[in-house]
Amino acid sequence: MLMVLAPTMMLLPMIWLCSSAHLWTSALAHSMAIALISLSWLCLPMEAGWSSLNTFVATDPLSTPLLVLTCWLLPLMILASQNHMAKEPINRQRTYISLLVSLQIFLVLAFGATEMIMFYIMFEATLIPTLIIITRWGNQTERLNAGIYFLFYTLAGSLPLLVALLLLQNSTGSLSFLTTQFFPPLQLHTEASKFWWAGCLLAFLVKMPLYGAHLWLPKAHVEAPIAGSMVLAAVLLKLGGYGMMRIIIILDPLTKQLSYPFIILALWGVVMTGSICLRQTDLKSLIAYSSVSHMGLVAAGILIQTPWGLTGALILMIAHGLTSSALFCLANTNYERTHSRTMLLARGLQMILPLLATWWFLFTLANLALPPLPNLMGELMIITSLFNWSNWTLLLTGAGTLITASYSLHMFLTTQRGPVTSPVVAIEPTHTREHLLMVLHLLPLLLLVLKPTLIWGWTL
Amino acid sequence: MHLTTMVLSSSLLTIFSILILPVLGTLNPSPPGSLWATNSVKTAVKVAFFVSLLPLFIFLNEGVEAIMTNWEWMNTLMFNINISFKFDLYSIVFTPVALYVTWSILEFASWYMHDDPNMNRFFKYLLIFLIAMIVLVTANNMFQLFIGWEGVGIMSFLLIGWWFGRADANTAALQAVVYNRVGDIGLILAMAWMAVNLNSWDMQQLFSMTTNQDMTLPLLGLVLAATGKSAQFGLHPWLPSAMEGPTPVSALLHSSTMVVAGIFLLIRLNPLMDNNPLVLSTCLCLGALTTVFTATCALTQNDIKKIIAFSTSSQLGLMMVTIGLNQPQLAFLHICTHAFFKAMLFLCSGSIIHSLNDEQDIRKMGGLHHLLPFTSSCLTIGSLALTGTPFLAGFFSKDAIIEALNTSYLNAWALVLTLVATSFTAVYSLRVVFFVSMGHPRFNPISPINENNLTVMNPIKRLAWGSILAGLLITANISPLKTPLMTMPFVLKMAALTVTIVGLLMALELASLASQQFKIKPASAPHHFSNMLGFYPSVVHRLAPKTNLVLGQLIANQTIDQTWLEKTGPKMTASVNLPLISSTSNLQQGVIKTYFLMFFFTMILAVLILVI
């Protein structure tokens, strides 16, 4: 674990000490090296449970894919931000990269934590750099509003979690993830224990976000700069899913009844947010709402608590992380050229940027879950486990897949196909950097097709 | 390993590698030359066809079937998904047919698309389309089948929307995917049910474990899947819209790939529905409805490609009827024979359209028998094969199907509808031939008419031989799995021919009446019904998206998100707190004099009260 953490911390002095000419390249090379080192976690024996254990952090089959995803994303964020940060003063560039790096440190500690309270602290700590990134480097004045929404939704959700964790510490004497399955069964018969149950899950459901508590997400996504959107969609939302999977083990007897309304709400959210996507004019907002829709499926898969559901949720989290991050990058390439997020203003881009249209197409397909991409494996497993719970859920999940396909292709057709609109006739050509960025998103997705068991989680 | 099975599996792998090689070649950053399409892709398909003959001959000789399982792909709690291929009657016979037809279509496309700057990409798409179809056909588990299933769907999206500058092409492409997605829900339902109840997606395990299960729900899912993919009634409008694609795409889409995938799924999984009368009669009625409805629509279309498209839809309905009769092998036979003449009809229409300067309206054709003798002869052969003229390809499958239908004890209503559709086939086929090749020319006198090109003649010629001989060759070499009924009354035996001839005579009569103004005001209501496709697209294509979009805008976005969730949540918190905040802060504005004055007055007042 330190093999990754120590170099990541050393990134900070490197960013501030290296010459301004080499800032981006060296940060990129360094973070890419870290990402490659992190891949070695996938080689650890998965069946054994916890590995690379030390006092505070460890990895297990559930956290490994998310840790690797976190490390993989940092170089991509640096790569994506390079262009729009180029005009800023050099110290602000350094600050920006430092924030991204600190975010990675917090995330690695959060996903690796073996103690719930440490997980909680790191979970909260990720808010700080993200908030600064959104409110300082966002593009419009609405970014301040978005920052407030982001902060207050997440905080309001997660304060009950702190109380709930303290109560748990009081009754069991331990908050270690390593021993959760050996806890004596909790006596949860009172009405108050239902509130405790809700307190444990609310933070994660808001973070996911569950439909109903999702308003912060489109705002934060739309207003954040590209790296902020990427990390939000790819990793920060997954903190919610990861936390839920960890904590749901100790909530056992209560979840059976209490989770039903949440499952229904999540599935209803899949359909509703999908329908909202059909009416979006704003490209980034569309992708953000599609994230809500996919994460609704993840939430339902986790709450159903079968091995298939949990596995499907983990697969979908990883696959969606890569896909939505790539879609945000693509939206950003459009934004950097047309300076507008409105889809109708930049149409027929296939004529001008044909290779970019290929990337758009591939990631649209990933978003609508084309077999055999991991997106489909995840969705199919979640749909199956929900179908096992109740046959009627297929109406909602089926409608969800139909709507997902419709809005994904609508997005592709509107931006790439059709006649060229006049504002985009004279735009700059694509950079190799942008293509590299897309390849680095696509490559893990395609390689996971060949060995999906890497992200299979516990049910290996 | 047994020698025969080794030959089967290695020849399949050879076919796959031959086909994938050109696709991988395009990953090379330097663009391929202009001859890449013909040299590389067409040759690959041709070679693959000849390779695929080897397992076919072995199969015909020894009747051997095999299953090949390569590597364990993923595994969740005893649930294995392997890469596994199946060689049985269906995959071994279908693969050469698909390759043969595609080979001809590719050769034709090299002429039809020769002025397209992206011809190489077009060929690559066609090739991937074919590969996806072969994956679907040879799959031995549901997941692999699903890969091929979605693969053909997405490739059809790209190919139908080939001319992506046109709004119509984009709409048609989107329509195809959305209708197919509705069907996919059914396939997902069936797969989820199988995973839950049978814990396997492998075909042989599905077949062996379902003997005592009530399979109605997953089977209805499969029927829905086939309805979407094979454009059965209810989900049919995407198929005629798919004519927006280039003609070679229509030919490939409608003959051997994509649209037959749905029927193929039901044939492949037929052992599951063998003794489920509810599902079988659903198929029967759905198929009968489709075949008569689309045949009716075909009667009054004026676009030559649309007529052929509707005839495909009608034939797919006939195949569905056959599934409903529980005769999967006959349905498969019809898929194979249909592939030849339908591909040829499309290629002929492509040649005609090209010769008449992209004119598709049959009212503006005529007399082409003199100007395009080869094409119009083949068009006639194709139409005759389609109507089931004795001893052409269509006869062997169609006549057998109708005999099986006549001698069954099933739904008489479905039987009548199918017979009506059969006679309609004769009507619209004659109408095409009558308008296109007979009579006097009605087109622009300076049309670039020229069919004397080997890349036009050869593929059509090959398919013409196929349309003449394929039925005989296939039926002569394949032993039927189910005992066909050999004896029946003379009337039933001749029913198919009789209705076809009646249809033909009626069509001739109508054709001769058409030039005379027999009635001052013709009855236009049935004509409008047929010409407007039963008003189905006008109603459904408006209603369903509008409902959904209104739901998205009014309810999901405005009512719930912006009003309930935002106004009563964060915004209300802000607005409720605002008066408190402003009143406390308004009190404290740093106006020291006033504060002191107030303080002074209140003190005076207090002192006065105390003193007095």
Side-chain angles (χ1 to χ4, degrees), chain A residues 376-441:
Chain A
L376 174 97
M377 295 177 191
E379 283 193 14
L380 201 56
M381 290 182 100
I382 293 173
I383 290 174
T384 305
S385 58
L386 288 170
F387 182 79
N388 189 21
W389 172 57
S390 158
N391 289 0
W392 295 104
T393 55
L394 197 93
L395 286 181
L396 289 172
T397 49
T401 54
L402 176 65
I403 294 174
T404 308
S406 309
Y407 71 71
S408 302
L409 289 173
H410 158 67
M411 175 177 76
F412 173 72
L413 289 175
T414 314
T415 55
Q416 305 300 313
R417 298 294 178 91
V420 181
T421 43
S422 52
V424 296
V425 220
I427 60 179
E428 60 172 316
T430 47
H431 303 282
T432 315
R433 180 179 60 82
E434 284 157 354
H435 295 305
L436 178 66
L437 185 59
M438 288 299 113
V439 171
L440 288 179
H441 276 109

Coordinates of all heavy atoms in Angstrom, one line a residue, chain A residues 376-441:
Chain A
L376 N -22.3 -4.2 -19.7 CA -23.4 -5.1 -19.8 C -23.3 -6.2 -18.8 O -24.4 -6.6 -18.2 CB -23.4 -5.8 -21.2 CG -24.5 -6.8 -21.2 CD1 -25.7 -6.3 -21.8 CD2 -24.1 -8.1 -21.8
M377 N -22.1 -6.7 -18.5 CA -22.1 -7.8 -17.5 C -22.6 -7.3 -16.2 O -23.4 -8.0 -15.5 CB -20.6 -8.2 -17.3 CG -19.9 -8.8 -18.5 SD -18.2 -9.2 -18.2 CE -17.6 -9.6 -19.8
G378 N -22.3 -6.1 -15.8 CA -22.8 -5.5 -14.5 C -24.3 -5.4 -14.6 O -25.0 -5.8 -13.7
E379 N -24.8 -4.7 -15.6 CA -26.2 -4.5 -15.7 C -27.0 -5.8 -15.7 O -28.0 -6.0 -15.0 CB -26.5 -3.7 -17.0 CG -26.2 -2.2 -16.8 CD -26.8 -1.4 -17.9 OE1 -27.7 -1.9 -18.6 OE2 -26.4 -0.2 -18.0
L380 N -26.5 -6.8 -16.5 CA -27.2 -8.0 -16.6 C -27.2 -8.7 -15.2 O -28.3 -9.3 -14.9 CB -26.5 -8.9 -17.6 CG -27.3 -10.0 -18.3 CD1 -28.5 -9.4 -18.9 CD2 -26.5 -10.7 -19.3
M381 N -26.1 -8.7 -14.5 CA -26.1 -9.4 -13.2 C -27.1 -8.7 -12.2 O -27.8 -9.3 -11.5 CB -24.7 -9.4 -12.6 CG -23.8 -10.3 -13.4 SD -22.2 -10.4 -12.7 CE -22.3 -11.9 -11.9
I382 N -27.1 -7.3 -12.3 CA -28.0 -6.6 -11.4 C -29.4 -6.9 -11.8 O -30.3 -7.2 -10.9 CB -27.7 -5.1 -11.4 CG1 -26.3 -4.9 -10.8 CG2 -28.7 -4.4 -10.6 CD1 -25.9 -3.5 -10.9
I383 N -29.7 -6.9 -13.1 CA -31.1 -7.1 -13.5 C -31.5 -8.5 -13.1 O -32.6 -8.8 -12.6 CB -31.2 -6.9 -15.0 CG1 -31.0 -5.4 -15.4 CG2 -32.5 -7.5 -15.6 CD1 -31.0 -5.2 -16.8
T384 N -30.6 -9.5 -13.2 CA -30.9 -10.9 -12.9 C -31.2 -11.0 -11.4 O -32.2 -11.6 -11.0 CB -29.8 -11.8 -13.3 OG1 -29.5 -11.6 -14.6 CG2 -30.1 -13.2 -13.0
S385 N -30.4 -10.3 -10.6 CA -30.6 -10.5 -9.1 C -31.9 -9.8 -8.7 O -32.6 -10.2 -7.8 CB -29.4 -10.0 -8.3 OG -29.1 -8.6 -8.6
L386 N -32.2 -8.7 -9.4 CA -33.4 -8.0 -9.1 C -34.6 -8.8 -9.5 O -35.7 -8.9 -8.9 CB -33.5 -6.6 -9.7 CG -32.6 -5.6 -9.1 CD1 -32.6 -4.3 -10.0 CD2 -33.1 -5.2 -7.8
F387 N -34.5 -9.5 -10.7 CA -35.5 -10.3 -11.2 C -35.8 -11.5 -10.3 O -36.9 -11.9 -10.1 CB -35.1 -10.9 -12.6 CG -36.1 -11.7 -13.3 CD1 -37.2 -11.2 -13.9 CD2 -35.9 -13.1 -13.3 CE1 -38.1 -11.9 -14.5 CE2 -36.9 -13.9 -13.9 CZ -37.9 -13.3 -14.5
N388 N -34.7 -12.0 -9.6 CA -34.8 -13.0 -8.7 C -35.6 -12.6 -7.5 O -36.4 -13.3 -6.9 CB -33.4 -13.5 -8.2 CG -33.4 -14.7 -7.4 OD1 -34.4 -15.5 -7.5 ND2 -32.4 -14.9 -6.7
W389 N -35.5 -11.3 -7.1 CA -36.2 -10.8 -6.0 C -37.7 -10.6 -6.3 O -38.6 -11.1 -5.6 CB -35.6 -9.4 -5.6 CG -36.3 -8.7 -4.5 CD1 -36.7 -9.1 -3.3 CD2 -36.9 -7.4 -4.7 NE1 -37.4 -8.2 -2.6 CE2 -37.5 -7.1 -3.4 CE3 -36.9 -6.4 -5.7 CZ2 -38.1 -5.9 -3.2 CZ3 -37.5 -5.2 -5.4 CH2 -38.1 -4.9 -4.2
S390 N -37.9 -10.0 -7.4 CA -39.3 -9.8 -7.9 C -39.3 -9.7 -9.4 O -38.6 -9.0 -9.9 CB -39.9 -8.6 -7.3 OG -41.0 -8.2 -8.0
N391 N -40.2 -10.5 -10.0 CA -40.2 -10.5 -11.4 C -40.6 -9.1 -12.0 O -40.3 -8.8 -13.1 CB -41.3 -11.5 -12.0 CG -40.8 -12.9 -11.8 OD1 -39.7 -13.1 -11.2 ND2 -41.5 -13.9 -12.1
W392 N -41.4 -8.4 -11.2 CA -41.9 -7.1 -11.7 C -40.9 -6.1 -11.9 O -41.1 -5.1 -12.6 CB -43.0 -6.6 -10.8 CG -44.2 -7.5 -10.8 CD1 -44.6 -8.4 -9.9 CD2 -45.1 -7.7 -11.9 NE1 -45.7 -9.1 -10.2 CE2 -46.0 -8.7 -11.5 CE3 -45.3 -7.1 -13.2 CZ2 -47.1 -9.1 -12.3 CZ3 -46.4 -7.6 -13.9 CH2 -47.2 -8.6 -13.5
T393 N -39.7 -6.2 -11.2 CA -38.7 -5.2 -11.4 C -38.2 -5.1 -12.8 O -37.7 -4.1 -13.2 CB -37.5 -5.5 -10.5 OG1 -37.0 -6.8 -10.8 CG2 -37.8 -5.4 -9.0
L394 N -38.5 -6.2 -13.6 CA -38.0 -6.2 -14.9 C -38.7 -5.1 -15.8 O -38.1 -4.6 -16.7 CB -38.2 -7.5 -15.6 CG -37.4 -7.6 -16.9 CD1 -36.1 -8.3 -16.6 CD2 -38.1 -8.3 -18.0
L395 N -39.9 -4.7 -15.4 CA -40.6 -3.6 -16.1 C -39.7 -2.3 -15.9 O -39.5 -1.6 -16.9 CB -41.9 -3.3 -15.5 CG -43.0 -4.4 -15.8 CD1 -44.3 -3.9 -15.1 CD2 -43.2 -4.5 -17.3
L396 N -39.2 -2.1 -14.7 CA -38.5 -0.8 -14.5 C -37.1 -1.0 -15.1 O -36.6 -0.1 -15.9 CB -38.4 -0.5 -13.1 CG -39.7 0.0 -12.4 CD1 -39.5 0.1 -10.9 CD2 -40.1 1.3 -13.0
T397 N -36.4 -2.1 -14.9 CA -35.0 -2.2 -15.4 C -35.1 -2.3 -16.9 O -34.2 -1.7 -17.6 CB -34.3 -3.4 -14.8 OG1 -35.2 -4.6 -14.9 CG2 -34.0 -3.2 -13.4
G398 N -36.1 -3.0 -17.5 CA -36.2 -3.1 -18.9 C -36.4 -1.7 -19.5 O -35.8 -1.4 -20.5
A399 N -37.4 -1.0 -18.9 CA -37.6 0.4 -19.5 C -36.3 1.2 -19.3 O -36.0 2.0 -20.2 CB -38.7 1.0 -18.7
G400 N -35.6 0.9 -18.2 CA -34.3 1.7 -18.1 C -33.4 1.4 -19.2 O -32.8 2.3 -19.7
T401 N -33.2 0.1 -19.6 CA -32.3 -0.2 -20.7 C -32.7 0.5 -22.0 O -31.9 1.0 -22.7 CB -32.1 -1.7 -20.9 OG1 -33.4 -2.2 -21.1 CG2 -31.4 -2.3 -19.7
L402 N -34.0 0.4 -22.2 CA -34.6 1.0 -23.4 C -34.3 2.5 -23.5 O -33.8 3.1 -24.4 CB -36.1 0.8 -23.5 CG -36.8 1.4 -24.7 CD1 -36.3 0.8 -26.0 CD2 -38.3 1.2 -24.6
I403 N -34.6 3.2 -22.3 CA -34.4 4.6 -22.3 C -32.9 5.0 -22.4 O -32.5 5.9 -23.0 CB -35.0 5.2 -21.0 CG1 -36.5 5.0 -21.1 CG2 -34.7 6.7 -20.9 CD1 -37.3 5.4 -19.9
T404 N -32.1 4.2 -21.7 CA -30.6 4.4 -21.8 C -30.1 4.4 -23.2 O -29.4 5.2 -23.6 CB -29.9 3.4 -20.9 OG1 -30.4 3.3 -19.6 CG2 -28.4 3.7 -20.8
A405 N -30.6 3.3 -23.9 CA -30.2 3.2 -25.3 C -30.6 4.5 -26.1 O -29.9 5.0 -26.9 CB -30.7 2.0 -25.9
S406 N -31.9 4.9 -25.8 CA -32.4 6.0 -26.6 C -31.6 7.3 -26.3 O -31.2 7.9 -27.3 CB -33.9 6.3 -26.2 OG -34.6 5.1 -26.3
Y407 N -31.4 7.6 -25.1 CA -30.7 8.9 -24.9 C -29.2 8.8 -25.3 O -28.7 9.8 -25.7 CB -30.9 9.5 -23.5 CG -30.3 8.8 -22.3 CD1 -28.9 8.9 -22.1 CD2 -31.0 8.1 -21.4 CE1 -28.3 8.3 -21.0 CE2 -30.4 7.5 -20.3 CZ -29.1 7.6 -20.1 OH -28.5 7.0 -19.1
S408 N -28.6 7.7 -25.1 CA -27.2 7.6 -25.5 C -27.1 7.8 -27.0 O -26.2 8.6 -27.4 CB -26.6 6.2 -25.2 OG -26.7 6.0 -23.8
L409 N -27.9 7.2 -27.8 CA -27.8 7.3 -29.2 C -28.3 8.7 -29.6 O -27.8 9.3 -30.6 CB -28.6 6.2 -29.9 CG -28.0 4.9 -29.8 CD1 -28.9 3.8 -30.3 CD2 -26.7 4.9 -30.5
H410 N -29.3 9.2 -28.9 CA -29.7 10.6 -29.2 C -28.5 11.6 -29.0 O -28.3 12.4 -29.9 CB -30.9 11.0 -28.2 CG -31.1 12.4 -28.0 ND1 -31.5 13.2 -29.0 CD2 -30.9 13.2 -27.0 CE1 -31.6 14.5 -28.6 NE2 -31.2 14.5 -27.3
M411 N -27.8 11.4 -28.0 CA -26.6 12.2 -27.7 C -25.6 12.0 -28.9 O -25.1 13.0 -29.4 CB -26.0 11.8 -26.4 CG -24.7 12.5 -26.1 SD -24.1 12.0 -24.4 CE -23.5 10.4 -24.8
F412 N -25.4 10.8 -29.3 CA -24.4 10.6 -30.3 C -24.9 11.2 -31.6 O -24.2 11.9 -32.3 CB -24.2 9.1 -30.5 CG -23.4 8.7 -31.7 CD1 -22.0 8.9 -31.7 CD2 -24.0 8.1 -32.8 CE1 -21.3 8.6 -32.8 CE2 -23.2 7.8 -33.9 CZ -21.9 8.1 -33.9
L413 N -26.2 10.9 -32.0 CA -26.7 11.5 -33.2 C -26.7 13.0 -33.3 O -26.3 13.6 -34.3 CB -28.1 11.0 -33.5 CG -28.3 9.5 -33.8 CD1 -29.7 9.1 -33.9 CD2 -27.6 9.1 -35.1
T414 N -27.1 13.6 -32.1 CA -27.2 15.0 -32.1 C -25.8 15.7 -32.3 O -25.6 16.7 -33.0 CB -27.8 15.5 -30.8 OG1 -29.0 14.7 -30.6 CG2 -28.2 16.9 -30.9
T415 N -24.8 15.1 -31.6 CA -23.5 15.8 -31.6 C -22.7 15.4 -32.9 O -22.0 16.3 -33.4 CB -22.7 15.5 -30.4 OG1 -22.6 14.1 -30.3 CG2 -23.3 16.0 -29.1
Q416 N -22.8 14.2 -33.3 CA -21.9 13.7 -34.3 C -22.5 13.7 -35.7 O -21.8 13.9 -36.7 CB -21.4 12.4 -34.0 CG -20.7 12.3 -32.7 CD -19.5 13.2 -32.5 OE1 -18.7 13.3 -33.4 NE2 -19.5 14.0 -31.5
R417 N -23.8 13.3 -35.8 CA -24.4 13.1 -37.1 C -25.1 14.4 -37.6 O -25.2 15.4 -36.9 CB -25.3 11.9 -37.1 CG -24.6 10.6 -36.7 CD -23.7 10.2 -37.8 NE -22.9 9.0 -37.5 CZ -23.3 7.8 -37.9 NH1 -24.5 7.6 -38.4 NH2 -22.6 6.7 -37.7
G418 N -25.7 14.2 -38.8 CA -26.5 15.4 -39.3 C -25.6 16.4 -40.0 O -24.4 16.2 -40.1
P419 N -26.2 17.4 -40.5 CA -25.4 18.5 -41.2 C -24.6 19.3 -40.2 O -24.9 19.4 -39.0 CB -26.4 19.3 -41.9 CG -27.7 19.1 -41.1 CD -27.6 17.7 -40.5
V420 N -23.5 19.8 -40.7 CA -22.6 20.6 -39.8 C -23.3 22.0 -39.5 O -23.8 22.6 -40.4 CB -21.3 20.9 -40.5 CG1 -20.3 21.7 -39.6 CG2 -20.6 19.6 -40.8
T421 N -23.3 22.4 -38.3 CA -23.9 23.7 -38.0 C -22.8 24.8 -38.1 O -21.6 24.5 -38.0 CB -24.4 23.7 -36.5 OG1 -23.5 23.1 -35.7 CG2 -25.7 23.0 -36.4
S422 N -23.3 26.0 -38.4 CA -22.3 27.0 -38.8 C -21.3 27.4 -37.7 O -20.2 27.7 -38.0 CB -23.1 28.3 -39.3 OG -24.0 28.6 -38.3
P423 N -21.7 27.4 -36.4 CA -20.6 27.8 -35.4 C -19.4 26.9 -35.4 O -18.4 27.3 -34.8 CB -21.4 27.8 -34.1 CG -22.8 27.7 -34.4 CD -22.9 27.1 -35.7
V424 N -19.5 25.7 -35.9 CA -18.4 24.8 -35.7 C -17.6 24.6 -37.0 O -16.7 23.7 -37.0 CB -18.9 23.4 -35.2 CG1 -19.5 23.6 -33.8 CG2 -19.8 22.8 -36.2
V425 N -17.7 25.4 -38.0 CA -17.0 25.1 -39.2 C -15.5 25.4 -39.0 O -14.7 24.6 -39.5 CB -17.5 26.0 -40.4 CG1 -17.5 25.1 -41.6 CG2 -18.9 26.6 -40.1
A426 N -15.1 26.4 -38.3 CA -13.7 26.7 -38.2 C -13.3 26.4 -36.8 O -13.1 27.3 -35.9 CB -13.5 28.1 -38.5
I427 N -13.1 25.1 -36.5 CA -12.6 24.8 -35.1 C -11.3 24.0 -35.3 O -10.9 23.5 -36.3 CB -13.6 23.9 -34.4 CG1 -13.8 22.6 -35.1 CG2 -14.9 24.6 -34.1 CD1 -14.8 21.7 -34.4
E428 N -10.5 24.1 -34.2 CA -9.2 23.5 -34.3 C -9.3 22.0 -34.3 O -10.2 21.4 -33.8 CB -8.3 24.0 -33.1 CG -8.9 23.6 -31.7 CD -7.9 24.0 -30.6 OE1 -6.7 23.7 -30.8 OE2 -8.3 24.5 -29.6
P429 N -8.3 21.4 -35.0 CA -8.3 19.9 -35.1 C -8.0 19.3 -33.7 O -7.6 19.9 -32.8 CB -7.2 19.6 -36.1 CG -6.3 20.8 -36.1 CD -7.2 22.0 -35.7
T430 N -8.1 18.0 -33.7 CA -7.9 17.3 -32.4 C -6.4 17.1 -32.1 O -5.6 17.1 -33.0 CB -8.5 15.9 -32.5 OG1 -8.1 15.3 -33.7 CG2 -10.0 15.9 -32.4
H431 N -6.1 17.0 -30.8 CA -4.7 16.8 -30.4 C -4.5 15.3 -30.2 O -5.4 14.6 -29.9 CB -4.4 17.5 -29.1 CG -4.7 19.0 -29.1 ND1 -3.9 19.9 -29.7 CD2 -5.8 19.7 -28.7 CE1 -4.4 21.1 -29.6 NE2 -5.5 21.0 -29.0
T432 N -3.3 14.9 -30.4 CA -2.9 13.5 -30.0 C -3.2 13.3 -28.6 O -3.6 12.2 -28.2 CB -1.4 13.3 -30.3 OG1 -1.1 13.9 -31.5 CG2 -1.1 11.8 -30.3
R433 N -3.0 14.3 -27.7 CA -3.3 14.2 -26.3 C -4.7 13.7 -26.1 O -5.0 12.8 -25.2 CB -3.1 15.6 -25.7 CG -3.3 15.7 -24.2 CD -3.1 17.1 -23.7 NE -4.0 18.0 -24.4 CZ -5.2 18.3 -24.0 NH1 -5.7 17.7 -23.0 NH2 -5.9 19.2 -24.7
E434 N -5.7 14.3 -26.8 CA -7.1 13.9 -26.6 C -7.3 12.5 -27.0 O -8.0 11.7 -26.3 CB -8.0 14.8 -27.4 CG -8.1 16.2 -26.7 CD -8.5 17.3 -27.6 OE1 -8.6 17.0 -28.9 OE2 -8.7 18.4 -27.2
H435 N -6.7 12.1 -28.1 CA -6.9 10.7 -28.5 C -6.2 9.7 -27.5 O -6.8 8.7 -27.2 CB -6.3 10.4 -29.9 CG -7.0 11.2 -31.0 ND1 -8.3 11.1 -31.2 CD2 -6.5 12.1 -31.8 CE1 -8.7 11.9 -32.1 NE2 -7.6 12.6 -32.6
L436 N -5.1 10.1 -27.0 CA -4.4 9.3 -26.0 C -5.3 9.1 -24.8 O -5.5 8.0 -24.2 CB -3.1 9.9 -25.6 CG -2.3 9.2 -24.5 CD1 -1.9 7.8 -25.0 CD2 -1.1 10.0 -24.0
L437 N -5.9 10.3 -24.4 CA -6.8 10.2 -23.3 C -7.9 9.2 -23.5 O -8.3 8.4 -22.6 CB -7.4 11.7 -23.1 CG -8.3 12.0 -21.9 CD1 -7.5 11.7 -20.6 CD2 -8.7 13.4 -22.0
M438 N -8.5 9.2 -24.7 CA -9.6 8.3 -25.0 C -9.1 6.9 -25.0 O -9.8 6.0 -24.5 CB -10.2 8.7 -26.3 CG -11.0 9.9 -26.4 SD -12.3 9.8 -25.2 CE -11.9 10.9 -24.0
V439 N -7.9 6.7 -25.5 CA -7.4 5.3 -25.6 C -7.2 4.8 -24.2 O -7.5 3.6 -23.9 CB -6.1 5.3 -26.4 CG1 -5.5 3.9 -26.3 CG2 -6.4 5.5 -27.8
L440 N -6.7 5.7 -23.3 CA -6.4 5.2 -21.9 C -7.7 4.9 -21.2 O -7.7 4.2 -20.2 CB -5.6 6.3 -21.2 CG -4.2 6.4 -21.6 CD1 -3.5 7.4 -20.9 CD2 -3.5 5.0 -21.5
H441 N -8.8 5.5 -21.6 CA -10.1 5.1 -21.0 C -10.6 3.8 -21.6 O -11.2 3.0 -20.9 CB -11.2 6.2 -21.3 CG -11.1 7.3 -20.3 ND1 -10.7 8.6 -20.7 CD2 -11.5 7.4 -19.0 CE1 -10.8 9.4 -19.6 NE2 -11.2 8.7 -18.6

